[in-house]
Amino acid sequence: MIRNDSPLRDAGQPISVQFEEAEDLGSNASANPTLGDVIAERMGRRDLLKGLLGCAVIGATVSPIALTVAEQARAQTPPNTTPSFNFKEIAAGSDERHHIAEGYDADILIRWGDPVLPGAPAFDPLKQSAAAQAKQFGYNNDFLGFAPIDGRADHGLLVVNHEYTNEELMFPAIGRQDGKARFAGMTKELAEIEMAAHGGSVLEVRRENGKWGVVANSRYARRITAETPITITGPAASHPLMRTQADPTGTRVLGMLNNCAGAMTPWGTWLTCEENFNGYFWSRKAGEEGPHGKALKRYGAPGEWYNWGQYFDRFDYAKEPNEVNRFGWVVEIDPFDPNSVPKKRTALGRFKHEGAGNIVNRDGRFVVYSGDDERFDYVYKFVTEGRVDTANRAANADLLDRGTLYVAKYNADGTGEWLPLVQGQGGLTAENGFPDQGTVVIHARLAADILGATKMDRPEDVEVNPKTGKVYLMLTNNSRRKPEQVDAANPRPDNKFGHIIEMIPEGGDHAATKFAWNILVKCGDPSVASVGATFHANTTKDGWFGMPDQVAVDNLGRVWIGTDGNSLAATGRADGVWALETEGAARGTSKLFFRCPNGAELCGPYFTPDDETFFVAVQHPGEADDGAKEPATFENPSTRWPDFKDGVPPRPSVVAITRRGGGKIAV
Ligand code: FEO
Ligand code: CA
Ligand code: CA
Ligand code: CA
């Protein structure tokens, strides 16, 4: 989000689109060759510049090694007994309401402003305060995770990220505040409400008589905000780059910011991922002149998307140059202990983490995959040194503090390599600016540049299918990729609609440094030849999608995709959830299950362990359609979902999808 003043954007652009377009900055100026460069050398730059020829040649190149690795993985994969998705597809389109397949209910579980903590006042959009917001459900729900209580699928903790705030939809009569407005309508009080609306919520939820509800006054209920004390652990803890005036030890930070997707761990903790943290820092000019110029530029900081730095020195780069280094991490939280101090696990690296898809490797080590959501940025994985202890939960408490961080290189022949971000190896030396592992993880992007990682089309969510061991990577779009920059893993120039990559670890070992990969589907409208979409021919006119962002795998091993960025203008359809076949003859067939209301993005798809409930988060409802002439505001939203009351703004909400009469979803 570079917001209104960006030459890239129109003033009326939805704020979420501007978040996406922030990533347009393409802050990766490293000289890493794209695979296109490699192929270009081989076949001559002139031919490659014809673009499509380049794609065709690369697409046809799959080496025997890749096939062998894929074959090995297949040999370890159980035979495909996965049932196809059984539901009647809904029509694509966009209106003020949400839509779900026939025979299912999609009920609102909790909305922005609803009570979370005891004593929370009822939501009143005209009488908001930071004190009220700190006890109420935050804004822009993103990741959802469910942790069963006593092994139950109908009673547990629902953890929720609150990624960011839309001031123009939250507060009366102020409109958009960044860009040309220069935050003229902002006050310290409004900034404090925004800070309290960020972070996360822990809710105790229970299903009774078929319907989900939030348990009032639960002993587990918790709000995390931009001011919650958090401990910094791992290689960056106490590093000089992490020390500030308020925290000379470099081990304690207030709050987490822009928590996008995440994951649950097998030991029942919540991994919540800081994404576009750069936008919270002030001011751009100070950043350019500051001591960390190169790194700041690579991370797009200070971004000035919010003006908190005008009221709070720690967000003003000129006054506190190291505070920005304390954001951009994966945070681990124990939702079962509301007094536990969250931990920023710095061993997993600092970048714009989308999520934290994970699996316990067959040797017991824990493996976390994470995309860095920016145009031309990278895919990472972290492999713990220790093993998961399934008998003793406490033994896993600091498992994520020791291990190896890797970044992915996708070869043109369908193989890939994980390159270790380890100080002293691969050029990560003091001479190159990496005197210790703390610097490597704090400046992970710069380290990955040196290693020669592959520049991707905005890596969003990654999930492992525990049934097959295959890894699904959402690449949401990259309209900035030029024809001469295409490569095998990012084969479309001006990639407006994104694609999905399937990765197969060598020998089924997620700790291995080699993998095979292929493109599961190139997204967009398959009826328009120039788009080059590759959905299965059985996909209907409602069944295709653009901009894959989130992925959930149900307990049968079936893959569901959530999208961000579809609109009437972009694809003739709202964002939603599509079921996507990944195995067998129907592979690549997609089918629309749930549709968001106008302006909203689909976040947080998560299944309960019995597959009877599918939780989804509807984020930023009411934003203007991409093609709208007028910006959406508190007074003029594109929907007043879910309350539909005059004067009540749209409210980001969690939705519980269940089958009417009970039963598993889509079976
Ligand atoms: Fe917050 Fe990359 O989505
Ligand atoms: Ca989002
Ligand atoms: Ca996302
Ligand atoms: Ca997105």
Side-chain angles (χ1 to χ4, degrees):
M1 170 172 91
I2 357 180
R3 320 235 308 194
N4 285 353
D5 58 340
S6 161
L8 300 172
R9 306 308 313 165
D10 299 329
Q13 196 77 52
I15 198 168
S16 67
V17 171
Q18 304 212 19
F19 255 112
E20 302 304 313
E21 292 293 327
E23 296 134 9
D24 243 334
L25 284 170
S27 65
N28 188 352
S30 73
N32 288 359
T34 59
L35 288 167
D37 294 329
V38 177
I39 302 276
E41 255 170 49
R42 212 193 293 159
M43 60 184 281
R45 175 83 52 183
R46 251 178 322 143
D47 290 336
L48 190 81
L49 287 176
K50 290 176 191 161
L52 286 175
L53 172 61
C55 299
V57 170
I58 296 165
T61 315
V62 177
S63 80
I65 314 164
L67 293 173
T68 308
V69 176
E71 213 37 65
Q72 278 177 5
R74 257 193 291 277
Q76 288 162 357
T77 300
N80 176 29
T81 51
T82 309
S84 285
F85 300 95
N86 182 21
F87 66 88
K88 189 174 163 209
E89 180 168 55
I90 61 172
S94 190
D95 62 28
E96 295 190 8
R97 296 183 178 271
H98 67 275
H99 297 266
I100 182 68
E102 197 177 291
Y104 289 84
D105 289 318
D107 300 322
I108 307 297
L109 178 69
I110 188 166
R111 304 160 293 184
W112 164 50
D114 281 341
V116 173
L117 298 181
F123 178 62
D124 182 343
L126 299 178
K127 283 193 194 148
Q128 298 180 51
S129 72
Q133 178 65 79
K135 293 182 170 181
Q136 296 167 332
F137 194 62
Y139 205 75
N140 273 345
N141 34 215
D142 203 298
F143 174 73
L144 305 173
F146 178 83
I149 292 176
D150 296 332
R152 299 189 65 98
D154 59 356
H155 183 205
L157 301 182
L158 190 73
V159 301
V160 185
N161 289 359
H162 299 299
E163 187 182 22
Y164 67 100
T165 48
N166 291 68
E167 72 279 355
E168 78 283 13
L169 293 171
M170 290 172 73
F171 306 132
I174 70 164
R176 283 288 296 278
Q177 285 296 301
D178 57 320
K180 291 190 187 105
R182 300 301 298 159
F183 304 96
M186 283 302 288
T187 62
K188 189 177 183 201
E189 194 183 4
L190 291 180
E192 285 173 330
I193 296 170
E194 289 187 313
M195 290 168 71
H198 275 71
S201 293
V202 178
L203 312 167
E204 183 180 351
V205 294
R206 190 195 299 270
R207 189 179 187 192
E208 285 173 316
N209 303 319
K211 294 291 180 193
W212 285 94
V214 176
V215 176
N217 300 318
S218 165
R219 68 187 172 95
Y220 299 107
R222 184 169 192 186
R223 275 300 324 281
I224 316 274
T225 72
E227 297 185 292
T228 303
I230 297 182
T231 300
I232 297 164
T233 71
S238 75
H239 192 279
L241 287 171
M242 301 291 273
R243 297 176 194 162
T244 63
Q245 293 164 67
D247 172 31
T249 68
T251 57
R252 187 175 176 272
V253 58
L254 296 183
M256 55 186 202
L257 295 176
N258 211 269
N259 291 69
C260 189
M264 301 305 284
T265 66
W267 54 96
T269 60
W270 168 24
L271 300 181
T272 170
C273 301
E274 295 182 311
E275 194 189 21
N276 293 294
F277 62 91
N278 55 312
Y280 297 83
F281 291 87
W282 189 269
S283 71
R284 228 172 272 181
K285 192 154 186 290
E288 286 160 10
E289 293 164 357
H292 311 316
K294 184 181 171 196
L296 285 174
K297 195 163 181 227
R298 187 67 180 79
Y299 283 89
E304 279 189 9
W305 306 344
Y306 295 89
N307 73 329
W308 302 355
Q310 292 188 330
Y311 316 113
F312 301 94
D313 285 355
R314 68 186 178 114
F315 295 115
D316 182 339
Y317 177 78
K319 293 178 179 153
E320 193 50 273
N322 282 350
E323 185 73 357
V324 68
N325 294 332
R326 291 141 62 89
F327 295 87
W329 302 104
V330 175
V331 187
E332 184 175 18
I333 300 173
D334 181 357
F336 289 95
D337 178 3
N339 297 315
S340 62
V341 179
K343 293 184 171 133
K344 295 204 179 184
R345 301 294 191 186
T346 66
L348 281 73
R350 174 170 165 267
F351 48 90
K352 296 184 179 178
H353 284 274
E354 176 72 21
N358 59 65
I359 190 162
V360 179
N361 197 35
R362 61 182 184 210
D363 62 7
R365 284 184 286 173
F366 190 58
V367 180
V368 181
Y369 293 89
S370 192
D372 182 357
D373 183 3
E374 186 122 36
R375 287 173 170 78
F376 301 107
D377 255 293
Y378 307 136
V379 179
Y380 296 79
K381 82 168 175 184
F382 177 76
V383 182
T384 60
E385 188 180 292
R387 286 163 169 72
V388 176
D389 189 331
T390 50
N392 178 10
R393 180 174 194 250
N396 304 308
D398 295 315
L399 190 63
L400 292 173
D401 284 340
R402 293 165 74 93
T404 306
L405 180 66
Y406 298 87
V407 66
K409 182 167 184 236
Y410 295 79
N411 299 321
D413 64 359
T415 63
E417 294 159 61
W418 291 107
L419 311 169
L421 281 84
V422 175
Q423 198 277 334
Q425 296 182 21
L428 304 182
T429 58
E431 303 80 72
N432 288 333
F434 297 97
D436 48 50
Q437 186 64 18
T439 312
V440 171
V441 294
I442 294 166
H443 294 159
R445 281 185 169 183
L446 293 167
D449 291 345
I450 289 178
L451 295 175
T454 304
K455 296 175 172 181
M456 308 299 284
D457 284 346
R458 293 195 46 210
E460 298 245 30
D461 203 11
V462 187
E463 286 289 344
V464 186
N465 184 340
K467 295 279 183 204
T468 62
K470 293 179 181 175
V471 181
Y472 295 97
L473 163 66
M474 308 297 110
L475 295 161
T476 196
N477 61 64
N478 181 0
S479 52
R480 301 273 146 174
R481 191 175 289 274
K482 299 188 181 78
E484 65 270 25
Q485 294 175 308
V486 299
D487 59 39
N490 303 275
R492 286 192 288 187
D494 185 22
N495 182 7
K496 285 192 177 68
F497 306 106
H499 57 288
I500 299 175
I501 282 182
E502 181 183 71
M503 296 159 65
I504 303 163
E506 186 177 48
D509 176 8
H510 290 271
T513 55
K514 290 196 164 46
F515 62 94
W517 65 270
N518 62 76
I519 293 179
L520 171 59
V521 64
K522 294 179 204 163
C523 305
D525 185 348
S527 74
V528 179
S530 60
V531 168
T534 59
F535 288 98
H536 189 285
N538 289 351
T539 304
T540 72
K541 65 176 179 22
D542 303 307
W544 62 267
F545 55 83
M547 303 83 163
D549 184 317
Q550 292 301 297
V551 52
V553 181
D554 66 23
N555 297 283
L556 293 168
R558 301 178 306 177
V559 169
W560 302 74
I561 308 295
T563 65
D564 166 23
N566 291 268
S567 67
L568 287 177
T571 55
R573 60 202 57 211
D575 282 320
V577 176
W578 278 263
L580 179 63
E581 304 279 1
T582 56
E583 304 292 333
R587 177 177 155 99
T589 308
S590 171
K591 203 170 152 186
L592 180 55
F593 181 63
F594 174 84
R595 213 172 94 184
C596 291
N598 287 341
E601 157 187 356
L602 192 288
C603 294
Y606 203 92
F607 285 89
T608 49
D610 59 2
D611 276 344
E612 292 207 8
T613 302
F614 191 14
F615 291 112
V616 298
V618 172
Q619 195 188 66
H620 57 77
E623 281 195 346
D625 191 86
D626 228 354
K629 292 199 174 61
E630 292 297 316
T633 58
F634 182 97
E635 291 75 20
N636 183 31
S638 66
T639 176
R640 292 189 184 278
W641 185 91
D643 295 350
F644 299 105
K645 283 193 192 134
D646 287 348
V648 177
R651 301 168 75 181
S653 303
V654 175
V655 174
I657 299 172
T658 52
R659 194 164 167 171
R660 218 165 286 151
K664 292 184 190 299
I665 306 279
V667 169

Short mmCIF file of all heavy atoms in Angstrom, two decimals, residues 20 458 460 549 564, ligand 4:
data_model
loop_
_atom_site.label_atom_id
_atom_site.label_comp_id
_atom_site.label_asym_id
_atom_site.label_seq_id
_atom_site.Cartn_x
_atom_site.Cartn_y
_atom_site.Cartn_z
N GLU A 20 -1.66 -4.16 -1.74
CA GLU A 20 -1.06 -5.07 -2.71
C GLU A 20 -0.06 -4.32 -3.57
O GLU A 20 1.01 -4.80 -3.86
CB GLU A 20 -2.15 -5.68 -3.60
CG GLU A 20 -3.23 -6.44 -2.85
CD GLU A 20 -2.67 -7.53 -1.99
OE1 GLU A 20 -1.83 -8.29 -2.47
OE2 GLU A 20 -3.08 -7.64 -0.82
N ARG A 458 5.08 -12.69 -6.18
CA ARG A 458 4.40 -12.41 -4.91
C ARG A 458 3.95 -13.68 -4.18
O ARG A 458 2.76 -14.06 -4.22
CB ARG A 458 3.22 -11.46 -5.10
CG ARG A 458 3.66 -10.07 -5.53
CD ARG A 458 2.56 -9.04 -5.37
NE ARG A 458 1.92 -9.19 -4.09
CZ ARG A 458 0.65 -8.90 -3.86
NH1 ARG A 458 -0.10 -8.41 -4.82
NH2 ARG A 458 0.14 -9.06 -2.66
N GLU A 460 2.40 -15.78 -1.59
CA GLU A 460 1.45 -15.62 -0.48
C GLU A 460 1.47 -16.90 0.34
O GLU A 460 2.52 -17.38 0.72
CB GLU A 460 0.06 -15.25 -1.02
CG GLU A 460 0.07 -13.91 -1.78
CD GLU A 460 -0.76 -12.82 -1.12
OE1 GLU A 460 -0.88 -12.80 0.11
OE2 GLU A 460 -1.27 -11.96 -1.86
N ASP A 549 -4.58 -16.54 -3.01
CA ASP A 549 -3.90 -15.91 -1.88
C ASP A 549 -3.78 -16.88 -0.72
O ASP A 549 -2.71 -17.13 -0.20
CB ASP A 549 -4.69 -14.64 -1.49
CG ASP A 549 -4.02 -13.84 -0.39
OD1 ASP A 549 -3.53 -14.44 0.57
OD2 ASP A 549 -4.02 -12.60 -0.48
N ASP A 564 -7.83 -12.95 -3.27
CA ASP A 564 -7.75 -11.54 -2.90
C ASP A 564 -7.44 -10.72 -4.14
O ASP A 564 -6.34 -10.83 -4.68
CB ASP A 564 -6.63 -11.35 -1.87
CG ASP A 564 -6.26 -9.89 -1.69
OD1 ASP A 564 -7.10 -9.02 -1.99
OD2 ASP A 564 -5.14 -9.62 -1.24
CA CA B 4 -3.15 -10.74 -1.32
#
